[in-house]
Amino acid sequence: MPVEKRKTIVIGHKNPDTDSICSAICYANLKTSITGKEYVPCRAGRINEETQFVLNYFGVEAPELVSNVKTQVRDIEIRETAGVDRNISLKKAWNLMQDANVVTLPAVNANNVLEGLITVGDITKSYMNVLDSSILSKARTQYSNIIETLEGQLVIGEESAYFDQGKVLIAAANPDLMEYYIAPHDLVILGNRYESQLCAIEMEADCIIVCEGAAVSMTIRKLAQERGCTVITTPYDTYTAARLINQSMPISYFMKTENLITFEDGDFIDDIKDVMASKRHRDFPILDKDGKYRGMISRRNLLGARGKQIVLVDHNEKNQAVDGIENAEILEIIDHHKLGTVETIAPVFFRNQPLGCTATIVYQMYNENSVPMDKKIAGLLCSAIISDTLLFRSPTCTPMDEMAARSLAEIAGIEIEKYAMEMFGAGSNLK
């Protein structure tokens, strides 16, 4: 599922004039009104003094600067694998992977900043390679993880405390022998024998796990409380409990935390392809511009990468278009200039009329689609026509341009000649 709805960029040429900027804003607004989809006005260069005056006059924000429309990571389908806490158990991580059908889980902190990655391979290695009876304490395993993994119940102690010293052992021998191999701080897995439970607590074990759901007597509870020994009961037998307990270790002990290969959602696909091809990882984490975790992508996602959707206004030549246009999917071209050389991947909606200004075409399209114009839209379109036709003095100006501009000036509530002088004055400011 895509992380965000696909949007379409409406953009003018590289050295934007007032027509290029205003037509982009107004056409994006028109398309959004008609389709209900997201059309975003953008600009391919710096805004000049005249255009800035127009935007300020009508209280409209300048469109976002887009200097390149090459395909970016954010244009790919990013898989929203939820981030997990670094303290969750290996068993829980494994179950989450199975449920989501993924092989990598990202560990994130409370601020959604990536802390590490754990893979199916890491969990398998932990299970196959770990033969150290102290590994549970070395990994600083929380008792809540042990309770969850063994489907147990806490009888005495704190769930939030950690088992962080000692080894794990099974009390299979009689109490006389147990005294020789139980050391202080150990975790002892045992059955329902009162003597074994008593012996483990007296030998200063930090935790006893009583198997097969056996009852724990009041005497044992009282003694465990006094000695600070955690008591957990589990419905499993000793063999199963011993087999499962290593799965309660936190993923933080096994996850990769250094030299993580991450990409930003703003990175260009062309720039990351080689890195992804040279690494054997299945999945790569994606971060936003603030370094927060967003999701995961795999090499397979690159195959389905789609170019940005673009509408070009006020130009149709490649050398005037924003960089990377050859990677984009051009949907429409609205223009009033001679025909140029933009090549498109698929057929496009192309409207080109011999008028003095692109804004005049946009004005016609508002009327054709019966979309009402507010004062801001009317003001921007009127300003574009004034600018491109030099207030109807340009040889390219047509009666249609003048009629549109005067009609728009009425809606915008401006005196067209007076306003034009102010606008041209701002444009000729050489400061």
Side-chain angles (χ1 to χ4, degrees):
M1 199 175 79
V3 174
E4 57 190 34
K5 269 197 321 187
R6 222 169 162 214
K7 63 186 183 189
T8 302
I9 291 170
V10 183
I11 195 164
H13 46 80
K14 266 187 189 166
N15 296 308
D17 56 8
T18 301
D19 185 22
S20 178
I21 297 290
C22 294
S23 290
I25 295 169
C26 299
Y27 194 62
N29 178 70
L30 174 66
K31 289 296 290 185
T32 301
S33 302
I34 296 169
T35 64
K37 293 177 182 168
E38 193 181 1
Y39 285 77
V40 182
C42 293
R43 59 190 170 92
R46 198 178 69 80
I47 285 181
N48 66 36
E49 298 278 343
E50 179 190 280
T51 311
Q52 194 58 60
F53 168 83
V54 172
L55 295 175
N56 293 345
Y57 192 96
F58 292 103
V60 176
E61 270 187 46
E64 183 192 343
L65 175 67
V66 172
S67 52
N68 199 315
V69 291
K70 284 204 287 194
T71 310
Q72 290 171 285
V73 171
R74 64 169 66 100
D75 300 318
I76 304 180
E77 217 164 284
I78 298 174
R79 200 173 57 247
E80 294 177 309
T81 305
V84 298
D85 187 276
R86 63 184 295 138
N87 285 319
I88 70 164
S89 67
L90 292 173
K91 186 180 185 214
K92 187 170 185 181
W94 177 267
N95 290 340
L96 287 170
M97 286 176 182
Q98 301 305 302
D99 292 345
N101 194 24
V102 296
V103 295
T104 311
L105 278 185
V108 298
N109 66 15
N111 296 320
N112 210 31
V113 173
L114 187 71
E115 293 188 316
L117 295 172
I118 185 128
T119 65
V120 165
D122 297 328
I123 295 177
T124 313
K125 272 186 208 157
S126 79
Y127 208 59
M128 298 304 289
N129 296 350
V130 169
L131 303 167
D132 176 1
S133 60
S134 308
I135 188 78
L136 209 69
S137 61
K138 284 177 183 166
R140 288 194 85 241
T141 305
Q142 212 165 8
Y143 286 120
S144 57
N145 278 11
I146 297 172
I147 295 161
E148 181 185 53
T149 305
L150 298 181
E151 295 178 27
Q153 279 191 312
L154 183 70
V155 179
I156 300 291
E158 293 286 332
E159 263 194 36
S160 57
Y162 291 86
F163 176 60
D164 53 11
Q165 299 180 66
K167 61 188 181 297
V168 175
L169 49 92
I170 297 173
N174 65 36
D176 298 343
L177 285 173
M178 279 169 62
E179 292 181 9
Y180 293 105
Y181 62 85
I182 295 179
H185 304 300
D186 283 353
L187 181 149
V188 186
I189 299 172
L190 33 70
N192 61 352
R193 289 179 65 187
Y194 173 83
E195 298 85 351
S196 301
Q197 295 170 10
L198 184 65
C199 177
I201 295 170
E202 287 185 333
M203 296 305 294
E204 297 178 39
D206 269 359
C207 176
I208 62 170
I209 292 174
V210 181
C211 294
E212 299 190 55
V216 180
S217 71
M218 285 307 296
T219 313
I220 293 293
R221 289 177 189 223
K222 192 164 181 293
L223 188 63
Q225 189 84 55
E226 285 169 9
R227 299 284 182 96
C229 177
T230 301
V231 180
I232 296 167
T233 62
T234 173
Y236 294 121
D237 57 42
T238 47
Y239 166 73
T240 310
R243 208 168 62 85
L244 283 176
I245 197 159
N246 274 9
Q247 294 181 27
S248 66
M249 288 186 284
I251 60 170
S252 57
Y253 191 72
F254 299 95
M255 71 187 188
K256 189 175 192 295
T257 56
E258 291 179 359
N259 304 319
L260 299 176
I261 297 170
T262 64
F263 301 118
E264 273 198 19
D265 57 6
D267 288 344
F268 294 117
I269 299 294
D270 290 350
D271 298 340
I272 71 167
K273 268 181 182 164
D274 294 342
V275 179
M276 288 179 83
S278 66
K279 300 294 172 188
R280 293 190 60 194
H281 307 324
R282 285 276 294 276
D283 300 289
F284 298 84
I286 301 302
L287 314 178
D288 65 16
K289 66 178 191 314
D290 301 318
K292 302 285 176 74
Y293 167 75
R294 267 196 68 175
M296 308 287 281
I297 61 167
S298 64
R299 279 188 285 269
R300 199 185 313 151
N301 292 118
L302 288 189
L303 300 174
R306 296 179 296 178
K308 292 186 192 299
Q309 292 182 325
I310 306 282
V311 172
L312 301 181
V313 296
D314 199 34
H315 69 299
N316 68 84
E317 294 191 50
K318 189 182 175 208
N319 60 3
Q320 292 185 3
V322 61
D323 290 345
I325 196 73
E326 60 281 353
N327 296 111
E329 183 188 347
I330 300 170
L331 302 182
E332 299 184 26
I333 301 171
I334 314 293
D335 192 21
H336 69 116
H337 294 104
K338 69 180 176 68
L339 297 189
T341 55
V342 165
E343 284 186 31
T344 62
I345 300 161
V348 301
F349 176 80
F350 185 27
R351 183 154 173 172
N352 184 286
Q353 288 175 246
L355 294 168
C357 184
T358 305
T360 307
I361 305 173
V362 177
Y363 162 78
Q364 289 176 336
M365 293 174 84
Y366 267 89
N367 291 338
E368 288 158 12
N369 290 282
S370 304
V371 174
M373 280 179 272
D374 60 22
K375 283 188 171 185
K376 285 182 180 179
I377 293 293
L380 294 181
L381 289 174
C382 181
S383 304
I385 299 170
I386 293 169
S387 173
D388 254 22
T389 66
L390 299 172
L391 191 58
F392 323 130
R393 294 188 189 92
S394 162
T396 56
C397 181
T398 70
M400 181 68 217
D401 294 303
E402 184 167 350
M403 186 279 287
R406 293 197 183 279
S407 170
L408 288 162
E410 263 184 57
I411 301 169
I414 54 175
E415 283 181 46
I416 198 161
E417 277 79 10
K418 181 168 175 276
Y419 171 75
M421 290 310 108
E422 285 180 48
M423 192 177 106
F424 292 144
S428 63
N429 181 356
L430 298 176
K431 224 176 12 179

